Amino acid sequence: MASDSALRLSRIRRPLGWALLALVPAWAALVWTAPLDSVQGVIQKILYVHPPLAYGAYLGFVITAVGGALYLWKRSEVYDQLAVAGAEVGVVFCTLMMVTGPIWAKGTWGQWWTWDPRLTLTLLLWFVYLSYLLLRSLTEGSERTARFAAVYGVAGTALIPLNYFAIELAGGRAAHPENLERGSMDPAMWTAFGVANLAAFAAFLYFLVLRWEVEVRRARVVEAEAQHP
Amino acid sequence: MSYAIAAYAVTLGAFAVYGWLLHRERRRLERED
């Protein structure tokens, strides 16, 4: 018998799945038809996947902090489960961001990686939340771990603004392109970029809710096994 | 062209595998519950 939380999450997940199925073909069509960049050519189209993955990673880590803070306040394990889901989906998005970025770099700079402030901080951010997941997987089910993880998750978000503003903070020494600003692209490129962000956001929410549901169900199965070994 | 295709293939492929793994785990837990 599924818990109320698992059933509620299951009901939220379905419309998100339909929204995602509708957005992915629109995303693909707009990426295909978006005008070619006069300098970079077709490789610039990685723009419609790499930054949306970065925003998804940031969002996942913020959700980990929010879930952790709510857990510390309310002491309800459902918030701790949300924090775990946010961290895992955030790490998936962050990993893909760190794969698509070097693909663009290889085609544009001629090298996969450089120790630029943004790239270095992104790698650090990835390690921080990968460590969070390792910590959780090695010490499953303890309240003490949940409390420590909540504080760790909240503290980890300090890296997000540092990561986002790394290029400005580097003061011209950054190799990574600057953050996008309105008017810096053709309107058709902006439309494609907007829909790409919507599709990535729908994918993020779908995975988050599904992962949260898995965590809720897993805790319930562990609890049932503990009561009737 | 191949760099851009590689970036999209890796992302969509990883999403498909991750979604499949999560669904498989959800169904397993549903059966055990």
Short mmCIF file of all heavy atoms in Angstrom, two decimals, chain A residues 5-72:
data_model
loop_
_atom_site.label_atom_id
_atom_site.label_comp_id
_atom_site.label_asym_id
_atom_site.label_seq_id
_atom_site.Cartn_x
_atom_site.Cartn_y
_atom_site.Cartn_z
N SER A 5 2.02 10.44 0.45
CA SER A 5 3.02 11.28 -0.23
C SER A 5 3.39 10.69 -1.58
O SER A 5 3.47 11.40 -2.58
CB SER A 5 4.30 11.39 0.61
OG SER A 5 4.02 11.88 1.87
N ALA A 6 3.61 9.35 -1.63
CA ALA A 6 3.99 8.70 -2.89
C ALA A 6 2.87 8.83 -3.92
O ALA A 6 3.14 9.10 -5.10
CB ALA A 6 4.33 7.24 -2.64
N LEU A 7 1.63 8.68 -3.48
CA LEU A 7 0.49 8.79 -4.41
C LEU A 7 0.35 10.22 -4.94
O LEU A 7 0.09 10.42 -6.13
CB LEU A 7 -0.80 8.35 -3.73
CG LEU A 7 -0.97 6.84 -3.53
CD1 LEU A 7 -2.23 6.54 -2.73
CD2 LEU A 7 -1.01 6.11 -4.86
N ARG A 8 0.53 11.20 -4.05
CA ARG A 8 0.43 12.61 -4.47
C ARG A 8 1.51 12.92 -5.50
O ARG A 8 1.26 13.54 -6.52
CB ARG A 8 0.58 13.53 -3.25
CG ARG A 8 -0.76 13.89 -2.60
CD ARG A 8 -0.61 15.12 -1.72
NE ARG A 8 0.31 14.91 -0.63
CZ ARG A 8 -0.01 14.42 0.56
NH1 ARG A 8 -1.26 14.07 0.80
NH2 ARG A 8 0.88 14.28 1.52
N LEU A 9 2.74 12.44 -5.23
CA LEU A 9 3.86 12.69 -6.15
C LEU A 9 3.61 12.01 -7.49
O LEU A 9 3.91 12.56 -8.55
CB LEU A 9 5.18 12.21 -5.53
CG LEU A 9 5.68 13.06 -4.37
CD1 LEU A 9 6.81 12.36 -3.63
CD2 LEU A 9 6.14 14.42 -4.85
N SER A 10 3.04 10.81 -7.43
CA SER A 10 2.73 10.07 -8.66
C SER A 10 1.72 10.84 -9.51
O SER A 10 1.83 10.88 -10.74
CB SER A 10 2.18 8.70 -8.25
OG SER A 10 1.97 7.94 -9.37
N ARG A 11 0.74 11.47 -8.83
CA ARG A 11 -0.28 12.25 -9.57
C ARG A 11 0.31 13.52 -10.18
O ARG A 11 -0.09 13.93 -11.26
CB ARG A 11 -1.43 12.60 -8.62
CG ARG A 11 -2.48 11.49 -8.54
CD ARG A 11 -3.79 12.03 -7.99
NE ARG A 11 -3.68 12.31 -6.56
CZ ARG A 11 -3.98 11.44 -5.60
NH1 ARG A 11 -4.41 10.23 -5.91
NH2 ARG A 11 -3.88 11.76 -4.34
N ILE A 12 1.29 14.13 -9.49
CA ILE A 12 1.92 15.35 -10.03
C ILE A 12 2.80 14.99 -11.23
O ILE A 12 2.90 15.73 -12.20
CB ILE A 12 2.81 16.02 -8.95
CG1 ILE A 12 1.96 16.51 -7.78
CG2 ILE A 12 3.60 17.21 -9.53
CD1 ILE A 12 2.79 16.95 -6.57
N ARG A 13 3.44 13.82 -11.15
CA ARG A 13 4.44 13.42 -12.17
C ARG A 13 3.83 13.25 -13.56
O ARG A 13 4.45 13.63 -14.55
CB ARG A 13 5.11 12.13 -11.71
CG ARG A 13 6.15 11.60 -12.67
CD ARG A 13 6.93 10.47 -12.05
NE ARG A 13 6.11 9.47 -11.40
CZ ARG A 13 5.46 8.50 -12.03
NH1 ARG A 13 5.52 8.41 -13.33
NH2 ARG A 13 4.74 7.62 -11.35
N ARG A 14 2.62 12.71 -13.62
CA ARG A 14 2.04 12.39 -14.95
C ARG A 14 1.88 13.62 -15.85
O ARG A 14 2.37 13.61 -16.98
CB ARG A 14 0.74 11.62 -14.76
CG ARG A 14 1.03 10.21 -14.29
CD ARG A 14 -0.14 9.28 -14.36
NE ARG A 14 0.27 8.00 -13.80
CZ ARG A 14 -0.04 7.58 -12.57
NH1 ARG A 14 -0.77 8.32 -11.78
NH2 ARG A 14 0.38 6.41 -12.14
N PRO A 15 1.21 14.70 -15.39
CA PRO A 15 1.12 15.88 -16.28
C PRO A 15 2.47 16.46 -16.64
O PRO A 15 2.65 17.00 -17.74
CB PRO A 15 0.27 16.89 -15.49
CG PRO A 15 0.17 16.37 -14.11
CD PRO A 15 0.45 14.90 -14.15
N LEU A 16 3.44 16.33 -15.72
CA LEU A 16 4.79 16.83 -16.03
C LEU A 16 5.39 16.02 -17.19
O LEU A 16 6.07 16.58 -18.06
CB LEU A 16 5.70 16.71 -14.80
CG LEU A 16 5.50 17.74 -13.70
CD1 LEU A 16 6.32 17.38 -12.47
CD2 LEU A 16 5.89 19.13 -14.19
N GLY A 17 5.13 14.73 -17.19
CA GLY A 17 5.62 13.87 -18.27
C GLY A 17 5.02 14.26 -19.61
O GLY A 17 5.72 14.34 -20.62
N TRP A 18 3.71 14.58 -19.61
CA TRP A 18 3.05 15.00 -20.87
C TRP A 18 3.61 16.34 -21.34
O TRP A 18 3.83 16.53 -22.54
CB TRP A 18 1.53 15.08 -20.68
CG TRP A 18 0.89 13.73 -20.53
CD1 TRP A 18 0.24 13.24 -19.42
CD2 TRP A 18 0.87 12.67 -21.51
NE1 TRP A 18 -0.17 11.95 -19.64
CE2 TRP A 18 0.19 11.56 -20.91
CE3 TRP A 18 1.35 12.54 -22.81
CZ2 TRP A 18 -0.01 10.36 -21.58
CZ3 TRP A 18 1.15 11.34 -23.49
CH2 TRP A 18 0.48 10.28 -22.87
N ALA A 19 3.83 17.25 -20.39
CA ALA A 19 4.39 18.57 -20.75
C ALA A 19 5.77 18.38 -21.37
O ALA A 19 6.11 19.02 -22.38
CB ALA A 19 4.48 19.46 -19.52
N LEU A 20 6.54 17.48 -20.79
CA LEU A 20 7.89 17.22 -21.31
C LEU A 20 7.84 16.64 -22.72
O LEU A 20 8.58 17.07 -23.61
CB LEU A 20 8.61 16.26 -20.35
CG LEU A 20 10.05 15.87 -20.69
CD1 LEU A 20 10.94 17.11 -20.73
CD2 LEU A 20 10.59 14.89 -19.66
N LEU A 21 6.91 15.71 -22.92
CA LEU A 21 6.77 15.09 -24.25
C LEU A 21 6.36 16.11 -25.31
O LEU A 21 6.71 15.99 -26.48
CB LEU A 21 5.74 13.96 -24.20
CG LEU A 21 6.23 12.63 -23.64
CD1 LEU A 21 5.10 11.61 -23.61
CD2 LEU A 21 7.40 12.08 -24.47
N ALA A 22 5.59 17.13 -24.89
CA ALA A 22 5.18 18.18 -25.83
C ALA A 22 6.32 19.15 -26.11
O ALA A 22 6.47 19.67 -27.22
CB ALA A 22 3.97 18.92 -25.28
N LEU A 23 7.14 19.42 -25.07
CA LEU A 23 8.19 20.43 -25.21
C LEU A 23 9.43 19.95 -25.97
O LEU A 23 10.08 20.73 -26.67
CB LEU A 23 8.60 20.95 -23.83
CG LEU A 23 7.68 22.00 -23.22
CD1 LEU A 23 7.94 22.15 -21.73
CD2 LEU A 23 7.84 23.34 -23.92
N VAL A 24 9.74 18.66 -25.84
CA VAL A 24 10.98 18.16 -26.48
C VAL A 24 10.97 18.31 -28.01
O VAL A 24 11.93 18.83 -28.58
CB VAL A 24 11.31 16.72 -26.02
CG1 VAL A 24 12.40 16.09 -26.88
CG2 VAL A 24 11.78 16.74 -24.56
N PRO A 25 9.86 17.94 -28.71
CA PRO A 25 9.86 18.17 -30.17
C PRO A 25 9.93 19.66 -30.53
O PRO A 25 10.59 20.01 -31.52
CB PRO A 25 8.53 17.56 -30.64
CG PRO A 25 8.06 16.71 -29.53
CD PRO A 25 8.65 17.23 -28.28
N ALA A 26 9.27 20.52 -29.73
CA ALA A 26 9.33 21.96 -29.99
C ALA A 26 10.77 22.45 -29.82
O ALA A 26 11.27 23.26 -30.64
CB ALA A 26 8.40 22.70 -29.04
N TRP A 27 11.43 21.98 -28.79
CA TRP A 27 12.83 22.32 -28.53
C TRP A 27 13.70 21.89 -29.73
O TRP A 27 14.47 22.69 -30.28
CB TRP A 27 13.26 21.62 -27.24
CG TRP A 27 14.68 21.78 -26.80
CD1 TRP A 27 15.57 22.74 -27.18
CD2 TRP A 27 15.38 20.92 -25.88
NE1 TRP A 27 16.78 22.55 -26.54
CE2 TRP A 27 16.69 21.45 -25.74
CE3 TRP A 27 15.05 19.79 -25.15
CZ2 TRP A 27 17.64 20.86 -24.91
CZ3 TRP A 27 15.99 19.21 -24.31
CH2 TRP A 27 17.26 19.73 -24.20
N ALA A 28 13.53 20.63 -30.15
CA ALA A 28 14.33 20.10 -31.27
C ALA A 28 14.10 20.92 -32.54
O ALA A 28 15.06 21.28 -33.24
CB ALA A 28 13.97 18.64 -31.51
N ALA A 29 12.81 21.25 -32.81
CA ALA A 29 12.50 22.00 -34.04
C ALA A 29 13.12 23.40 -34.00
O ALA A 29 13.67 23.88 -35.00
CB ALA A 29 10.98 22.10 -34.21
N LEU A 30 13.04 24.06 -32.83
CA LEU A 30 13.59 25.42 -32.73
C LEU A 30 15.12 25.42 -32.78
O LEU A 30 15.71 26.34 -33.34
CB LEU A 30 13.09 26.09 -31.44
CG LEU A 30 11.62 26.52 -31.50
CD1 LEU A 30 11.09 26.86 -30.12
CD2 LEU A 30 11.47 27.74 -32.42
N VAL A 31 15.73 24.39 -32.21
CA VAL A 31 17.20 24.30 -32.29
C VAL A 31 17.62 24.12 -33.76
O VAL A 31 18.55 24.74 -34.24
CB VAL A 31 17.73 23.12 -31.42
CG1 VAL A 31 19.20 22.85 -31.70
CG2 VAL A 31 17.53 23.43 -29.94
N TRP A 32 16.87 23.26 -34.46
CA TRP A 32 17.17 22.97 -35.86
C TRP A 32 17.05 24.21 -36.74
O TRP A 32 17.88 24.47 -37.61
CB TRP A 32 16.24 21.85 -36.35
CG TRP A 32 16.61 21.34 -37.71
CD1 TRP A 32 16.02 21.65 -38.90
CD2 TRP A 32 17.66 20.42 -38.03
NE1 TRP A 32 16.62 21.00 -39.93
CE2 TRP A 32 17.65 20.22 -39.43
CE3 TRP A 32 18.63 19.74 -37.27
CZ2 TRP A 32 18.54 19.39 -40.09
CZ3 TRP A 32 19.52 18.90 -37.93
CH2 TRP A 32 19.47 18.74 -39.32
N THR A 33 15.96 25.00 -36.48
CA THR A 33 15.67 26.15 -37.35
C THR A 33 16.31 27.47 -36.88
O THR A 33 16.27 28.45 -37.62
CB THR A 33 14.14 26.36 -37.48
OG1 THR A 33 13.61 26.52 -36.16
CG2 THR A 33 13.46 25.19 -38.16
N ALA A 34 16.88 27.49 -35.69
CA ALA A 34 17.50 28.74 -35.19
C ALA A 34 18.62 29.17 -36.13
O ALA A 34 19.33 28.32 -36.67
CB ALA A 34 18.05 28.51 -33.78
N PRO A 35 18.78 30.49 -36.33
CA PRO A 35 19.82 30.95 -37.26
C PRO A 35 21.22 30.56 -36.79
O PRO A 35 21.45 30.43 -35.58
CB PRO A 35 19.67 32.47 -37.25
CG PRO A 35 18.66 32.81 -36.24
CD PRO A 35 18.02 31.59 -35.72
N LEU A 36 22.09 30.36 -37.78
CA LEU A 36 23.48 30.00 -37.46
C LEU A 36 24.24 31.24 -36.97
O LEU A 36 24.06 32.33 -37.51
CB LEU A 36 24.19 29.45 -38.69
CG LEU A 36 23.91 28.00 -39.09
CD1 LEU A 36 24.77 27.64 -40.30
CD2 LEU A 36 24.19 27.03 -37.94
N ASP A 37 25.06 31.05 -35.98
CA ASP A 37 25.90 32.13 -35.47
C ASP A 37 26.97 32.46 -36.52
O ASP A 37 27.59 31.54 -37.09
CB ASP A 37 26.56 31.68 -34.16
CG ASP A 37 27.37 32.77 -33.52
OD1 ASP A 37 26.78 33.60 -32.81
OD2 ASP A 37 28.60 32.79 -33.73
N SER A 38 27.16 33.77 -36.78
CA SER A 38 28.08 34.16 -37.87
C SER A 38 29.54 33.85 -37.53
O SER A 38 30.36 33.71 -38.44
CB SER A 38 27.91 35.64 -38.18
OG SER A 38 28.12 36.38 -36.99
N VAL A 39 29.88 33.78 -36.26
CA VAL A 39 31.28 33.54 -35.87
C VAL A 39 31.52 32.04 -35.62
O VAL A 39 32.42 31.43 -36.17
CB VAL A 39 31.65 34.37 -34.61
CG1 VAL A 39 33.08 34.09 -34.18
CG2 VAL A 39 31.43 35.84 -34.86
N GLN A 40 30.66 31.45 -34.76
CA GLN A 40 30.92 30.07 -34.33
C GLN A 40 30.34 29.01 -35.27
O GLN A 40 30.77 27.86 -35.24
CB GLN A 40 30.34 29.84 -32.94
CG GLN A 40 31.00 30.63 -31.85
CD GLN A 40 30.45 30.24 -30.50
OE1 GLN A 40 30.18 29.08 -30.21
NE2 GLN A 40 30.27 31.22 -29.64
N GLY A 41 29.31 29.37 -36.00
CA GLY A 41 28.65 28.39 -36.86
C GLY A 41 27.76 27.45 -36.05
O GLY A 41 27.23 27.84 -35.00
N VAL A 42 27.65 26.21 -36.49
CA VAL A 42 26.68 25.27 -35.91
C VAL A 42 27.00 24.88 -34.46
O VAL A 42 26.09 24.58 -33.69
CB VAL A 42 26.54 24.03 -36.84
CG1 VAL A 42 27.69 23.07 -36.67
CG2 VAL A 42 25.22 23.32 -36.60
N ILE A 43 28.25 24.95 -34.07
CA ILE A 43 28.61 24.54 -32.70
C ILE A 43 27.98 25.45 -31.65
O ILE A 43 27.76 25.05 -30.50
CB ILE A 43 30.15 24.45 -32.53
CG1 ILE A 43 30.48 23.56 -31.32
CG2 ILE A 43 30.79 25.81 -32.43
CD1 ILE A 43 31.90 23.13 -31.23
N GLN A 44 27.61 26.67 -32.07
CA GLN A 44 26.95 27.60 -31.13
C GLN A 44 25.62 27.03 -30.64
O GLN A 44 25.12 27.41 -29.60
CB GLN A 44 26.76 28.96 -31.84
CG GLN A 44 26.07 30.02 -31.02
CD GLN A 44 24.57 30.05 -31.25
OE1 GLN A 44 24.05 29.37 -32.14
NE2 GLN A 44 23.88 30.83 -30.44
N LYS A 45 25.05 26.07 -31.40
CA LYS A 45 23.74 25.50 -31.01
C LYS A 45 23.83 24.71 -29.71
O LYS A 45 22.80 24.35 -29.13
CB LYS A 45 23.17 24.64 -32.15
CG LYS A 45 22.81 25.50 -33.36
CD LYS A 45 21.90 24.82 -34.33
CE LYS A 45 21.63 25.76 -35.52
NZ LYS A 45 20.28 25.72 -36.00
N ILE A 46 25.03 24.44 -29.23
CA ILE A 46 25.19 23.81 -27.91
C ILE A 46 24.66 24.76 -26.82
O ILE A 46 24.30 24.33 -25.74
CB ILE A 46 26.68 23.40 -27.68
CG1 ILE A 46 27.04 22.26 -28.64
CG2 ILE A 46 26.94 22.97 -26.24
CD1 ILE A 46 28.47 21.75 -28.55
N LEU A 47 24.55 26.04 -27.18
CA LEU A 47 23.97 27.04 -26.27
C LEU A 47 22.55 26.64 -25.83
O LEU A 47 22.12 26.98 -24.73
CB LEU A 47 23.91 28.40 -26.98
CG LEU A 47 23.15 29.49 -26.26
CD1 LEU A 47 24.06 30.21 -25.29
CD2 LEU A 47 22.57 30.50 -27.24
N TYR A 48 21.82 25.93 -26.68
CA TYR A 48 20.43 25.57 -26.36
C TYR A 48 20.35 24.32 -25.49
O TYR A 48 19.26 23.81 -25.25
CB TYR A 48 19.62 25.38 -27.65
CG TYR A 48 19.74 26.55 -28.60
CD1 TYR A 48 20.26 26.38 -29.88
CD2 TYR A 48 19.38 27.83 -28.19
CE1 TYR A 48 20.40 27.45 -30.74
CE2 TYR A 48 19.53 28.91 -29.04
CZ TYR A 48 20.04 28.71 -30.32
OH TYR A 48 20.19 29.78 -31.16
N VAL A 49 21.49 23.83 -25.03
CA VAL A 49 21.45 22.70 -24.10
C VAL A 49 22.35 22.94 -22.88
O VAL A 49 21.98 22.56 -21.77
CB VAL A 49 21.76 21.35 -24.81
CG1 VAL A 49 23.19 21.25 -25.26
CG2 VAL A 49 21.42 20.17 -23.93
N HIS A 50 23.48 23.58 -23.07
CA HIS A 50 24.46 23.70 -21.97
C HIS A 50 23.98 24.65 -20.85
O HIS A 50 23.92 24.21 -19.70
CB HIS A 50 25.82 24.12 -22.56
CG HIS A 50 26.88 24.37 -21.55
ND1 HIS A 50 27.48 23.36 -20.84
CD2 HIS A 50 27.44 25.53 -21.10
CE1 HIS A 50 28.37 23.89 -20.01
NE2 HIS A 50 28.36 25.20 -20.16
N PRO A 51 23.63 25.91 -21.14
CA PRO A 51 23.16 26.76 -20.03
C PRO A 51 21.88 26.23 -19.35
O PRO A 51 21.79 26.27 -18.12
CB PRO A 51 22.93 28.13 -20.67
CG PRO A 51 23.76 28.12 -21.90
CD PRO A 51 23.74 26.70 -22.38
N PRO A 52 20.87 25.69 -20.11
CA PRO A 52 19.70 25.13 -19.40
C PRO A 52 20.10 24.02 -18.42
O PRO A 52 19.49 23.89 -17.35
CB PRO A 52 18.81 24.59 -20.53
CG PRO A 52 19.16 25.43 -21.71
CD PRO A 52 20.63 25.70 -21.57
N LEU A 53 21.12 23.24 -18.76
CA LEU A 53 21.59 22.20 -17.84
C LEU A 53 22.21 22.84 -16.59
O LEU A 53 22.03 22.35 -15.47
CB LEU A 53 22.62 21.30 -18.52
CG LEU A 53 22.08 20.33 -19.59
CD1 LEU A 53 23.23 19.70 -20.38
CD2 LEU A 53 21.22 19.24 -18.97
N ALA A 54 22.91 23.96 -16.80
CA ALA A 54 23.53 24.67 -15.67
C ALA A 54 22.45 25.19 -14.72
O ALA A 54 22.55 25.05 -13.50
CB ALA A 54 24.39 25.82 -16.19
N TYR A 55 21.37 25.78 -15.30
CA TYR A 55 20.30 26.31 -14.45
C TYR A 55 19.63 25.16 -13.67
O TYR A 55 19.25 25.32 -12.51
CB TYR A 55 19.25 27.07 -15.28
CG TYR A 55 19.84 28.20 -16.12
CD1 TYR A 55 19.33 28.49 -17.38
CD2 TYR A 55 20.91 28.96 -15.66
CE1 TYR A 55 19.87 29.51 -18.17
CE2 TYR A 55 21.46 29.98 -16.43
CZ TYR A 55 20.94 30.24 -17.69
OH TYR A 55 21.48 31.24 -18.47
N GLY A 56 19.48 24.01 -14.33
CA GLY A 56 18.89 22.84 -13.66
C GLY A 56 19.76 22.37 -12.51
O GLY A 56 19.25 22.00 -11.45
N ALA A 57 21.08 22.41 -12.72
CA ALA A 57 22.01 22.00 -11.65
C ALA A 57 21.88 22.96 -10.46
O ALA A 57 21.74 22.53 -9.31
CB ALA A 57 23.44 22.00 -12.17
N TYR A 58 21.88 24.26 -10.74
CA TYR A 58 21.72 25.26 -9.66
C TYR A 58 20.41 25.00 -8.90
O TYR A 58 20.38 25.01 -7.68
CB TYR A 58 21.66 26.68 -10.24
CG TYR A 58 22.93 27.25 -10.80
CD1 TYR A 58 22.89 28.30 -11.72
CD2 TYR A 58 24.19 26.78 -10.42
CE1 TYR A 58 24.06 28.86 -12.25
CE2 TYR A 58 25.35 27.33 -10.95
CZ TYR A 58 25.28 28.37 -11.87
OH TYR A 58 26.42 28.93 -12.39
N LEU A 59 19.34 24.80 -9.67
CA LEU A 59 18.02 24.61 -9.07
C LEU A 59 18.01 23.37 -8.17
O LEU A 59 17.45 23.40 -7.06
CB LEU A 59 16.98 24.49 -10.19
CG LEU A 59 15.52 24.50 -9.78
CD1 LEU A 59 15.16 25.76 -9.01
CD2 LEU A 59 14.62 24.39 -11.03
N GLY A 60 18.62 22.29 -8.64
CA GLY A 60 18.68 21.06 -7.84
C GLY A 60 19.38 21.30 -6.51
O GLY A 60 18.90 20.85 -5.46
N PHE A 61 20.47 22.06 -6.54
CA PHE A 61 21.23 22.29 -5.31
C PHE A 61 20.49 23.26 -4.38
O PHE A 61 20.57 23.13 -3.16
CB PHE A 61 22.64 22.79 -5.65
CG PHE A 61 23.41 21.83 -6.55
CD1 PHE A 61 24.33 22.27 -7.48
CD2 PHE A 61 23.18 20.45 -6.46
CE1 PHE A 61 25.02 21.38 -8.29
CE2 PHE A 61 23.86 19.56 -7.28
CZ PHE A 61 24.78 20.02 -8.20
N VAL A 62 19.75 24.21 -4.97
CA VAL A 62 18.94 25.11 -4.14
C VAL A 62 17.83 24.30 -3.46
O VAL A 62 17.53 24.49 -2.28
CB VAL A 62 18.37 26.28 -4.99
CG1 VAL A 62 17.27 27.02 -4.24
CG2 VAL A 62 19.48 27.24 -5.38
N ILE A 63 17.23 23.37 -4.20
CA ILE A 63 16.17 22.53 -3.63
C ILE A 63 16.73 21.65 -2.50
O ILE A 63 16.07 21.44 -1.48
CB ILE A 63 15.48 21.70 -4.74
CG1 ILE A 63 14.57 22.62 -5.55
CG2 ILE A 63 14.69 20.51 -4.18
CD1 ILE A 63 13.98 22.04 -6.79
N THR A 64 17.97 21.20 -2.65
CA THR A 64 18.62 20.44 -1.57
C THR A 64 18.72 21.31 -0.31
O THR A 64 18.45 20.84 0.80
CB THR A 64 20.03 19.99 -2.01
OG1 THR A 64 19.89 19.20 -3.17
CG2 THR A 64 20.75 19.20 -0.94
N ALA A 65 19.09 22.56 -0.50
CA ALA A 65 19.20 23.47 0.65
C ALA A 65 17.83 23.75 1.26
O ALA A 65 17.67 23.73 2.49
CB ALA A 65 19.85 24.78 0.20
N VAL A 66 16.83 23.99 0.40
CA VAL A 66 15.48 24.29 0.90
C VAL A 66 14.93 23.06 1.64
O VAL A 66 14.39 23.18 2.75
CB VAL A 66 14.54 24.71 -0.26
CG1 VAL A 66 13.10 24.81 0.20
CG2 VAL A 66 15.00 26.04 -0.86
N GLY A 67 15.08 21.87 1.03
CA GLY A 67 14.62 20.63 1.68
C GLY A 67 15.34 20.42 3.00
O GLY A 67 14.72 20.06 4.01
N GLY A 68 16.65 20.67 3.03
CA GLY A 68 17.44 20.51 4.25
C GLY A 68 16.99 21.48 5.33
O GLY A 68 16.82 21.10 6.50
N ALA A 69 16.77 22.75 4.95
CA ALA A 69 16.34 23.77 5.92
C ALA A 69 14.96 23.41 6.47
O ALA A 69 14.72 23.52 7.69
CB ALA A 69 16.30 25.14 5.24
N LEU A 70 14.05 22.95 5.59
CA LEU A 70 12.71 22.56 6.04
C LEU A 70 12.78 21.34 6.98
O LEU A 70 12.03 21.23 7.93
CB LEU A 70 11.80 22.27 4.85
CG LEU A 70 11.29 23.48 4.09
CD1 LEU A 70 10.61 23.06 2.79
CD2 LEU A 70 10.32 24.29 4.95
N TYR A 71 13.73 20.44 6.67
CA TYR A 71 13.89 19.26 7.53
C TYR A 71 14.36 19.69 8.93
O TYR A 71 13.85 19.21 9.95
CB TYR A 71 14.88 18.27 6.92
CG TYR A 71 15.18 17.14 7.86
CD1 TYR A 71 14.27 16.10 8.04
CD2 TYR A 71 16.36 17.10 8.60
CE1 TYR A 71 14.51 15.07 8.94
CE2 TYR A 71 16.62 16.07 9.48
CZ TYR A 71 15.70 15.06 9.66
OH TYR A 71 15.94 14.04 10.55
N LEU A 72 15.33 20.62 8.97
CA LEU A 72 15.84 21.09 10.27
C LEU A 72 14.74 21.80 11.07
O LEU A 72 14.70 21.72 12.29
CB LEU A 72 17.01 22.06 10.06
CG LEU A 72 18.30 21.44 9.52
CD1 LEU A 72 19.32 22.53 9.21
CD2 LEU A 72 18.89 20.42 10.49
#
